[in-house]
Amino acid sequence: MKVLNLQCGHGHGFEGWFASNEAFERQLAGALVECPMCGDTEIIKLLTAPRLNLGSAKRAEGEGQAEQAGQAGQPNAQGPASVPNATTGSPGTQVSLEARWMMAVREVLSKTEDVGKRFATEARKMHYGEADERGIRGQATPEEAKSLAEEGIAVFTLPIPPALKGTLQ
């Protein structure tokens, strides 16, 4: 099993697991590898430093078990590999921001009602007291969004990653 650090054209870092490097290349050529954040299929493989086991260094108590699991190709207890930030190069920062953003989007999805294309109509009804206020989400054209803003109805665009468009779990 090959675990690769990948990045989409928008700078989102993520991890991909493949049977072999050939399997990765085949899936990449077929546009089957996509960013879980934005769905982009323009994916690059990031350089990854190999893990070296020098064997002569003394191991701290309890460390040997985690090291042996890592050598056997099993994930270690320290969690997923960090992916460098696209702008600063510092490990972990990008993944942390993306994870927080995904959590925020999930929270919005779980606490709002999807009214679909009726978004502008429902927002107006609530604004003018014709319907009970509640959290809603849906689709509005740019013209509808502009019209709502001109009426003093606050709206904002929330892009939903493809990974969250299915059933929430």
Side-chain angles (χ1 to χ4, degrees), residues 1-168:
M1 184 65 60
K2 287 257 188 194
V3 180
L4 303 175
N5 288 333
L6 307 172
Q7 187 175 49
C8 76
H10 301 287
H12 302 128
F14 60 100
E15 193 174 79
W17 291 40
F18 301 90
S20 65
N21 198 46
E22 293 76 26
F24 165 71
E25 295 295 338
R26 195 172 43 256
Q27 290 179 38
L28 187 64
L32 298 174
V33 182
E34 68 178 36
C35 175
M37 295 292 293
C38 65
D40 186 12
T41 57
E42 295 297 318
I43 306 298
I44 60 169
K45 181 170 51 170
L46 299 175
L47 293 176
T48 305
R51 183 178 173 279
L52 300 176
N53 184 6
L54 302 177
S56 62
K58 287 190 174 186
R59 294 184 178 151
E61 189 175 327
E63 186 180 339
Q65 236 177 1
E67 296 255 334
Q68 289 170 356
Q71 290 171 7
Q74 302 298 318
N76 66 26
Q78 297 172 352
S82 325
V83 177
N85 180 307
T87 54
T88 65
S90 60
T93 308
Q94 187 74 16
V95 172
S96 177
L97 292 175
E98 289 169 0
R100 284 191 229 155
W101 182 73
M102 291 281 276
M103 285 173 34
V105 171
R106 279 191 179 107
E107 182 80 9
V108 168
L109 292 177
S110 71
K111 295 190 180 207
T112 57
E113 177 187 344
D114 186 1
V115 295
K117 303 233 182 243
R118 299 178 297 119
F119 179 80
T121 303
E122 291 296 317
R124 280 190 180 95
K125 284 181 182 177
M126 288 188 303
H127 183 73
Y128 294 112
E130 299 168 11
D132 291 336
E133 286 198 25
R134 65 196 190 284
I136 62 170
R137 68 182 188 284
Q139 296 85 41
T141 65
E143 294 79 21
E144 288 173 324
K146 182 179 178 186
S147 177
L148 289 169
E150 288 170 354
E151 292 178 50
I153 303 170
V155 297
F156 68 94
T157 302
L158 178 66
I160 299 177
L164 294 181
K165 287 187 179 175
T167 305
L168 291 177

